[in-house]
Amino acid sequence: MRRMILMCMLATTPGAWRQPPDVRIQIRALVDAGQLGEAERMARGGGVVLASLLGDILVERGKLAEADSAYQVALNADATARRSAEAALAELALERGNRNDALRRAETLASEYERTSSQFSADDHVAAGRAFVILGSRTPDAARSALRAFDDAVAHDARNVDARLRIGSLFLDRYNSPDAKAAFNEVLKQQPRNARALLGLSRVADFEGKDDAMGLVRASLAENPSLVGAHVLLARFHLEAEHYDSSSAEARAALGINASSMAAWSLLGATALLAGDSAQYAAALAAARRLNPRPAAFFAEIADAVVKQRRYGDAVRFAREALALDSTSVRALGVLGTTELRSGNLDAGRATLEKAFALDPFNLWHKNTLDLLDEMRGFRTVDRGRFRFVAPPKEAEALLPSLAPLLEAAFDTLARLYQYVPPVPVRLEIYSRHADFSVRTVGLAGLGALGVSFGPVLAMDAPSARDRGDFNWGSTAWHELTHTFTLGSSGNRAPRWLSEGLSVLEERRARSEWGAGVTVEFLAAYLGGRIRPVSRLNDGFVRPRYEGETIFSYYDASLVCEMIEQQNGMSAIVAMLQAYRDGLETSVVFARVLRSTPEQMDVRFDAWLRAKFSVAMKSIAASDEKGSTGGAFVSAVRAGADMLARQQPDSARETLLRAQAMFPEYASSGAPALLLAAIARDKGDLRGALEQIVRVTQHDETSLEANLLEADLREKLGDVAGAMIPLQRTTWIWPYDVGVHARLAELAARIGDHAVAVSERRTVLALNPTDALEARYQLARALAEAGDTAGARTEVLRVLEAAPSFERAQSLLLDLRTAPTPDHQEDSA
């Protein structure tokens, strides 16, 4: 009945067949401005010729049954927009789960396009492109036909904004962000305030991990408050930052405009699930099922949302629910496959991703991950204690002798602190190429992180994946293992700021030089109001506003955790993790455990931090939006460095000591202590130089050259055992320096620590030194001195097999022949 009434209304509208072309432009301008009610009124008064456009507006408003009627009018009247109506009906059928009907309509339109495209208008070309997009769910190559049709529309009418917008979306859906960005920018050249183009650029920025994604989506809503896609994207951004109230508000805003938006219901459902609102989740799911009896997209959205919150078990469950409804859901297959890989189920993950890639061969995430899995077949798997290490053979030989005992100690320490024991073995994958680690983590090269934890599965860069001295791989491993405990004890529900903050704090707890330390840049940013308060700290991780904010957020979060432990005790940290495990939100956790609101925590932390760094803050100027820093401390350091360059060491020393008093905690690059140590060393004051250099080495985890200097100073002062300590620190920064390991072996032998001497000689050999025979001979000597006669004899015989005339090896073998074996029997070899 509704369809008949609408057909009669359109058919009897005066002038229905003679609407001037500018009416369409006026209506589309109203739609672009978000004035959907007025646009609908004008379209209803436009007769049959505007039936398809009316249908589009009705879809925007969620009036799907009326939209069906309008599109049928356009089809039955053979109106100008008949093909657009056909494409729209195909899209609606697909949204409702009527896949066969959608494909049938799309095939009809695509076939007509292939036969008679020369007779198509620009809008008809767009309609054909929409049909090919639908067919692409079954035949991936149809995406190329879709692009050709959209391009034809632009060639037919360069002002066709809709075609350019769809080109941008098609490129982005096929993981081509540069071309997508170019297409959206072309729209903005014609219409600088086009909301859909701004929304497209926001999606591009999000895809590329740029910090302007949030600003762009807000800009799109400023131009069109009724743009449902923008509200949905903003809801997703809030959800990723764990701002559940804001996410729910945006999803509801979208539904207030279009109550038939599956995407909005899905986001509302995901938010409710993560917030623990079971009633709202049930309501969202019921609404999704009314729209589509088999709402695979709803469950795929949920799966994607929970995996971003590190709830991997839930992600697997919801992805499987989606696939039970639609086995061809690439999104669900992707979530399931990657989550299986993150859980250590490599065979199952590979099989799932192969299915996803067969359906969507454009997906770079899946292709890169499958390529990496092929490469990993050449990795070595080594089980040591409670850990399973997976690494390229050379890395396994070089790193595991140090890494395995370190992580065993870390496991015991963390289990005691957090009162939790994770399942074992904990799997740690080590990658000698950063691009491989990045692919393992997010599917694409370019990730800035050094390591990642998926709970009982960890992955990290090998030191060789970065420049020499770029990071401390020991503290990185300890950091990632801490996540295994904090995520596990919280049921993977700990907010990002808490889990990351505790990992950085545990680095510092493990060793004084490990973990992030306070810097000029951090304090300047804090004084400038550029560091998020505790109540919004997650935003600094997932939606950074400027370069460097994420790094600042890691350190800031560790200080928040340090304050909580200092004021409330470690038991409060454990109680918080357990409260999150029980499904409580942050405001409730703070109230129950810390007796504070999030806003009170903001004030409390601000006071604590300003007291902690009160001396330094007096000499640091707040940084501006560009991050430039200044103040008395910076000026004094620069002045001291200039004096030193002008050969004025006494004046430089006086100025640098004054700078050091202003900021005594500073130990990073450019610290006064580095220059003061050099001044003292050049004057022959070795103890003065040592006193200064330890200010750096004991508080900066990547101070490679400073540690080498400390070792030299200690050895010259006769402190052989002390010289070994900074050398051992350097091996956690760059473990591939054969000279450092050989020097450690020599020093260890001098003080009678034969176990260390042997270990270091083995490491030298594992690093494939230039003179491998000499390295093996030195190992044999170390074994002999350690009393391992049999081991020494084995190694020296290997040397002589390769070089029978090696005199020192011959001499050592003679000595070993007369040495008693463990059972005091002479060897008759």
Side-chain angles (χ1 to χ4, degrees):
M1 178 64 69
R2 180 180 295 170
R3 178 183 300 173
M4 292 184 64
I5 293 172
L6 185 62
M7 289 177 65
C8 291
M9 181 190 73
L10 289 171
T12 57
T13 300
W17 296 95
R18 299 184 300 280
Q19 290 294 331
D22 63 336
V23 171
R24 290 181 180 275
I25 297 174
Q26 293 174 31
I27 294 173
R28 284 172 175 156
L30 289 169
V31 171
D32 289 341
Q35 299 179 38
L36 299 180
E38 180 61 18
E40 180 184 338
R41 185 192 65 77
M42 286 190 67
R44 285 187 183 277
V48 174
V49 73
L50 295 183
S52 184
L53 181 55
L54 173 60
D56 294 342
I57 297 167
L58 293 169
V59 168
E60 294 265 359
R61 304 196 73 185
K63 301 177 180 180
L64 302 188
E66 292 183 61
D68 276 337
S69 299
Y71 290 136
Q72 287 297 335
V73 168
L75 285 177
N76 295 337
D78 196 26
T80 304
R82 171 181 62 82
R83 296 185 178 98
S84 295
E86 187 73 79
L89 285 169
E91 290 167 348
L92 282 175
L94 195 63
E95 283 284 323
R96 290 163 167 159
N98 298 329
R99 184 179 179 83
N100 291 336
D101 184 40
L103 291 173
R104 178 185 60 77
R105 291 180 180 277
E107 285 170 348
T108 299
L109 186 50
S111 177
E112 184 182 0
Y113 177 77
E114 296 291 2
R115 296 193 314 272
T116 62
S117 63
S118 61
Q119 302 172 20
F120 277 38
S121 66
D123 287 343
D124 289 340
H125 285 295
V126 171
R130 293 162 68 182
F132 283 120
V133 167
I134 292 172
L135 295 176
S137 64
R138 183 185 62 185
T139 308
D141 279 347
R144 295 185 173 87
S145 298
L147 179 60
R148 174 166 55 89
F150 293 144
D151 282 339
D152 287 346
V154 173
H156 196 279
D157 180 3
R159 296 169 300 173
N160 194 307
V161 166
D162 187 38
R164 294 188 188 277
L165 289 167
R166 291 181 185 278
I167 288 171
S169 294
L170 183 61
F171 276 129
L172 192 55
D173 289 343
R174 295 300 179 267
Y175 321 100
N176 181 346
S177 61
D179 285 339
K181 185 175 183 178
F184 293 132
N185 279 325
E186 283 296 324
V187 173
L188 293 176
K189 287 179 182 178
Q190 293 185 34
Q191 299 179 7
R193 299 169 60 183
N194 187 285
R196 285 206 289 164
L198 291 169
L199 173 59
L201 289 177
S202 177
R203 292 179 58 216
V204 170
D206 181 51
F207 177 90
E208 296 178 343
K210 299 293 178 60
D211 57 14
D212 56 346
M214 184 72 82
L216 285 165
V217 74
R218 291 191 187 282
S220 72
L221 283 170
E223 298 300 330
N224 181 354
S226 298
L227 191 58
V228 169
H231 285 289
V232 167
L233 185 60
L234 190 53
R236 186 173 290 121
F237 288 168
H238 286 310
L239 184 59
E240 290 173 2
E242 300 172 34
H243 298 318
Y244 301 136
D245 289 344
S246 298
S247 178
S248 178
E250 288 299 332
R252 291 180 185 281
L255 292 168
I257 300 160
N258 180 354
S260 299
S261 171
M262 177 65 79
W265 282 116
S266 300
L267 259 298
L268 188 61
T271 302
L273 179 83
L274 289 168
D277 187 343
S278 58
Q280 181 59 76
Y281 173 77
L285 176 56
R289 283 179 168 149
R290 285 194 294 272
L291 293 171
N292 182 343
R294 299 176 64 79
F298 179 89
F299 291 109
E301 182 74 55
I302 302 283
D304 193 50
V306 297
V307 81
K308 289 176 180 175
Q309 303 299 336
R310 305 167 301 283
R311 290 170 58 171
Y312 303 115
D314 289 339
V316 167
R317 177 165 61 88
F318 284 109
R320 285 176 174 162
E321 285 200 51
L323 291 169
L325 300 173
D326 179 4
S327 62
T328 66
S329 171
V330 173
R331 189 179 188 187
L333 285 167
V335 171
L336 178 59
T338 55
T339 305
E340 287 171 329
L341 293 177
R342 290 169 177 175
S343 302
N345 300 324
L346 267 63
D347 290 340
R350 176 196 289 272
T352 304
L353 285 187
E354 285 175 344
K355 293 177 184 176
F357 190 60
L359 291 166
D360 181 7
F362 296 94
N363 192 305
L364 294 180
W365 282 272
H366 301 162
K367 179 186 185 301
N368 290 341
T369 302
L370 289 169
D371 288 345
L372 176 60
L373 290 172
D374 288 339
E375 184 180 332
M376 287 179 66
R377 286 172 171 160
F379 281 25
R380 180 180 297 172
T381 299
V382 179
D383 288 335
R384 295 272 181 89
R386 291 167 289 193
F387 291 87
R388 173 165 295 158
F389 299 95
V390 181
K394 290 184 179 179
E395 300 291 357
E397 291 178 8
L399 304 182
L400 296 195
S402 300
L403 187 58
L406 176 80
L407 290 185
E408 285 291 336
F411 192 104
D412 290 334
T413 298
L414 296 169
R416 174 179 54 80
L417 282 171
Y418 292 98
Q419 301 173 30
Y420 169 78
V421 178
V424 294
V426 176
R427 177 186 176 97
L428 173 58
E429 299 171 6
I430 303 171
Y431 295 91
S432 55
R433 293 195 311 159
H434 177 69
D436 289 342
F437 159 71
S438 183
V439 167
R440 178 65 167 103
T441 306
V442 297
L444 293 175
L447 180 72
L450 300 167
V452 67
S453 172
F454 302 120
V457 176
L458 314 175
M460 64 177 283
D461 276 337
S464 61
R466 299 278 185 152
D467 292 337
R468 182 177 182 268
D470 193 46
F471 80 110
N472 189 301
W473 63 286
S475 68
T476 297
W478 197 291
H479 176 111
E480 299 307 336
L481 183 60
T482 301
H483 283 306
T484 302
F485 286 82
T486 57
L487 291 177
S489 62
S490 67
N492 286 63
R493 293 170 185 253
R496 194 175 303 273
W497 70 265
L498 180 59
S499 188
E500 295 294 355
L502 288 171
S503 282
V504 177
L505 178 60
E506 292 302 340
E507 291 179 62
R508 291 202 295 271
R509 197 199 306 275
R511 299 190 180 182
S512 66
E513 74 273 15
W514 283 4
V518 65
T519 64
V520 174
E521 294 78 10
F522 173 80
L523 291 183
Y526 191 89
L527 290 169
R530 302 174 68 236
I531 305 293
R532 315 264 186 163
V534 179
S535 59
R536 305 289 296 185
L537 193 47
N538 263 358
D539 291 352
F541 291 95
V542 298
R543 295 291 160 204
R545 299 162 297 180
Y546 54 88
E547 185 177 357
E549 185 178 11
T550 301
I551 298 299
F552 291 156
S553 298
Y554 274 88
Y555 180 58
D556 194 50
S558 78
L559 293 175
V560 175
C561 295
E562 182 180 325
M563 181 197 73
I564 292 172
E565 183 181 2
Q566 186 183 101
Q567 296 182 351
N568 300 84
M570 188 64 196
S571 60
I573 298 288
V574 174
M576 289 177 69
L577 293 170
Q578 292 173 347
Y580 282 115
R581 179 199 61 198
D582 294 339
L584 302 182
E585 289 191 73
T586 293
S587 60
V588 180
V589 173
F590 279 12
R592 176 175 297 185
V593 179
L594 305 177
R595 300 293 186 266
S596 295
T597 65
E599 293 71 26
Q600 288 171 335
M601 282 294 292
D602 292 345
V603 175
R604 178 173 152 189
F605 176 68
D606 180 67
W608 180 87
L609 186 140
R610 290 180 184 274
K612 181 178 178 68
F613 298 117
S614 59
V615 174
M617 281 186 169
K618 294 175 183 176
S619 63
I620 303 293
S623 63
D624 56 23
E625 292 183 358
K626 295 181 180 179
S628 60
T629 57
F633 173 76
V634 174
S635 297
V637 173
R638 288 174 179 167
D642 288 343
M643 292 173 186
L644 194 57
R646 294 197 302 268
Q647 305 299 314
Q648 299 171 355
D650 293 337
S651 298
R653 181 176 182 276
E654 182 180 345
T655 302
L656 291 167
L657 284 171
R658 188 169 68 251
Q660 193 169 71
M662 295 178 192
F663 194 170
E665 303 94 341
Y666 188 60
S668 298
S669 176
L674 290 167
L675 299 176
L676 287 166
I679 292 171
R681 180 197 56 195
D682 292 345
K683 287 189 172 186
D685 181 7
L686 300 187
R687 293 196 181 279
L690 181 60
E691 180 183 347
Q692 286 295 334
I693 205 63
V694 296
R695 287 175 172 266
V696 175
T697 59
Q698 292 182 8
H699 296 95
D700 183 0
E701 65 175 21
T702 57
S703 53
L704 184 62
E705 298 304 323
N707 273 294
L708 292 173
L709 174 58
E710 182 187 342
D712 290 342
L713 291 169
R714 289 191 182 278
E715 191 170 2
K716 288 176 182 177
L717 289 168
D719 184 5
V720 176
M724 292 177 63
I725 296 172
L727 288 177
Q728 288 168 334
R729 289 195 203 111
T730 68
T731 65
W732 292 114
I733 304 169
W734 188 251
Y736 309 111
D737 192 322
V738 171
V740 166
H741 289 288
R743 185 177 173 188
L744 270 169
E746 292 168 4
L747 294 177
R750 284 169 60 183
I751 64 172
D753 192 341
H754 299 299
V756 170
V758 169
S759 176
E760 292 299 330
R761 290 300 180 188
R762 290 192 187 281
T763 300
V764 168
L765 195 59
L767 291 173
N768 192 25
T770 303
D771 191 345
L773 287 177
E774 176 67 20
R776 192 172 293 280
Y777 164 73
Q778 293 295 344
L779 172 59
R781 280 191 58 195
L783 287 166
E785 292 171 0
D788 185 356
T789 304
R793 187 178 293 115
T794 298
E795 295 300 335
V796 78
L797 286 173
R798 289 178 179 174
V799 172
L800 291 172
E801 285 174 6
S805 60
F806 197 132
E807 292 183 2
R808 285 178 296 148
Q810 293 172 344
S811 177
L812 178 58
L813 181 60
L814 288 174
D815 292 341
L816 293 171
R817 285 181 182 276
T818 60
T821 59
D823 60 358
H824 304 288
Q825 297 294 318
E826 292 290 329
D827 183 17
S828 60

